[in-house]
Amino acid sequence: MEQLLLHLRNLGFTEMEAKIMVELAAKGQASGYEVAKQLGASRSNVYAALQRLTQQGYVRCGEGEPARYSVLGPEELGAMISGRVQASLAYVEEEMPRGGTVTPSFYNMEGDRNILGALVHQLGLAKREIVVDVWREEASLLRKELEQAEQRGVKLLWSFNGGNAEVAPFPAWAPAGGAPHKSGGRKFSFVVDRSWCMLGMRYGDGTAQAVVTEHPALTEMLLNHFMQEMVLFELEEDMGSELTRKYGSRYNKIYEKYLSRPPERPESGAEPEGEEAPGVPGSLAAD
C-alpha cells in the first residue's frame, strides 16, 4: 500500500488524492462521506480532493443522492496519466528557453543508489567515448551499460584494478596530519565524451561518495591520469625487469621523496637553527 501511495504521489497526486483513489479502487464506488469515514479524514478535505480528481477526469461522479464516486480502471488511468505526461514533456522540450550561459560547477553525490543511477543515465547518453578507471567490483555493476555503449559504437577505454589484476603501482599518500583517511575504499572515475566526469570512492561499509562535474580542469586531470597509467603499463610490459632493478619494487626510489611526510615545524614557525629547508623538486624556495 505504501509503495502504491508513494508512486501516485510521484505522479503528481497529493497524499489525500492518492488515498482516495486507492480507496475507491478497492471499494468500486463510494460516497464522499463513506470515503472520509474510512480514511479518518475531514469531509471538507475529502470533498475538495474528489472535486479536483473529478475535474481532471481521474474520478467519475455518478448520479443520485448522495453522489457516489468511482476511479478509472488501472489501464485507463495509466493511459491518461502517460498521455498527459508525454504531452507536457514534449511541450517543455519545445518551448524551454535555450542558450543561457552555464558556468561548470562541482557537486557532491552520496549513496550507492544515487551514484549508480547518475552513472547509468550518463553512460546511456555517451556518443563517442567513455574512459573508465575502476575496480572490478564496480565495473561488474555497470557491465550492461558499458556493453550497450560499445554496441552503439562508443569507444571504451578502461583500466581495471582488483580481482585477478595486479594492483596499480601507485602507493597511497599518507595524511600529513589530523585524522587518518577512512580505510577500505576503492577509487573510481568515469569520463564521458571528454566533457562529463565523476570521481569517487566506495567503502567496505557500503557507503559511497563522488564528485560530479563538467569542468574541464577535473576532466583533463582524470584523462591525463588515465593516459599516464596506460603509458606506465606499456613501459612495464616492455621494460619491467629493468625498471624494477633500477628503481625497486613499485618504484619506491622515485615515490619516496614525494610521499614522505613533511617535517614538523616549530610552533613559532621559525626554521630550526643551523638547518636549511630541504630541497624538494618543484619547490618555490628562493635560490
Side-chain angles (χ1 to χ4, degrees):
M1 174 68 77
E2 288 301 321
Q3 285 294 315
L4 177 55
L5 293 174
L6 173 62
H7 284 289
L8 286 170
R9 291 199 299 272
N10 288 342
L11 290 171
F13 297 101
T14 68
E15 184 173 0
M16 178 61 70
E17 290 169 346
K19 288 181 176 180
I20 290 173
M21 293 169 70
V22 173
E23 178 65 19
L24 290 175
K27 292 288 177 57
Q29 62 178 4
S31 66
Y33 171 78
E34 291 170 336
V35 173
K37 183 178 180 180
Q38 184 65 32
L39 297 180
S42 70
R43 281 184 287 176
S44 59
N45 288 341
V46 168
Y47 277 112
L50 282 168
Q51 185 177 13
R52 290 193 302 271
L53 291 169
T54 302
Q55 291 172 346
Q56 294 167 353
Y58 300 119
V59 166
R60 297 189 178 105
C61 179
E63 298 292 336
E65 185 63 36
R68 300 182 70 79
Y69 299 87
S70 60
V71 68
L72 300 182
E75 296 80 8
E76 192 176 358
L77 182 64
M80 179 179 288
I81 294 173
S82 177
R84 291 178 177 179
V85 169
Q86 292 302 320
S88 295
L89 286 174
Y91 185 85
V92 169
E93 290 177 6
E94 182 68 26
E95 300 298 330
M96 182 66 76
R98 293 174 171 82
T101 302
V102 178
T103 303
S105 60
F106 300 83
Y107 62 94
N108 297 321
M109 298 190 72
E110 293 191 4
D112 253 4
R113 179 176 297 180
N114 292 334
I115 290 171
L116 289 174
L119 283 170
V120 167
H121 173 73
Q122 203 65 38
L123 294 177
L125 297 177
K127 293 181 173 61
R128 295 178 296 278
E129 179 186 81
I130 300 173
V131 177
V132 185
D133 190 353
V134 295
W135 287 71
R136 291 190 181 275
E137 288 85 346
E138 283 65 50
S140 65
L141 297 176
L142 295 161
R143 178 173 180 174
K144 173 183 171 183
E145 287 72 24
L146 293 171
E147 288 178 345
Q148 289 175 345
E150 277 195 308
Q151 292 168 5
R152 296 197 309 270
V154 176
K155 182 179 181 181
L156 182 62
L157 304 172
W158 53 267
S159 172
F160 290 159
N161 291 323
N164 296 324
E166 191 172 322
V167 176
F170 303 109
W173 287 71
H181 298 313
K182 187 175 180 180
S183 61
R186 298 189 297 270
K187 302 183 189 72
F188 62 87
S189 69
F190 289 79
V191 182
V192 177
D193 291 337
R194 304 192 182 185
S195 60
W196 180 96
C197 67
M198 176 185 286
L199 173 64
M201 181 83 81
R202 295 183 79 227
Y203 297 99
D205 61 6
T207 60
Q209 295 175 316
V211 175
V212 181
T213 185
E214 294 183 12
H215 199 290
L218 185 56
T219 302
E220 290 177 12
M221 184 185 74
L222 292 177
L223 288 172
N224 287 336
H225 174 75
F226 179 84
M227 177 184 67
Q228 290 163 10
E229 277 195 319
M230 293 300 99
V231 170
L232 183 57
F233 174 78
E234 293 197 25
L235 286 174
E236 287 178 325
E237 290 291 298
D238 294 340
M239 306 171 61
S241 58
E242 185 175 345
L243 289 171
T244 300
R245 177 182 58 80
K246 185 171 183 179
Y247 298 112
S249 174
R250 301 186 71 187
Y251 316 139
N252 288 337
K253 291 180 183 178
I254 298 178
Y255 290 129
E256 281 173 358
K257 59 184 176 183
Y258 299 108
L259 294 176
S260 59
R261 293 175 182 269
E264 294 185 7
R265 302 176 65 87
E267 291 184 6
S268 63
E271 291 288 346
E273 187 175 349
E275 296 184 11
E276 295 181 356
V280 179
S283 70
L284 299 178
D287 295 331

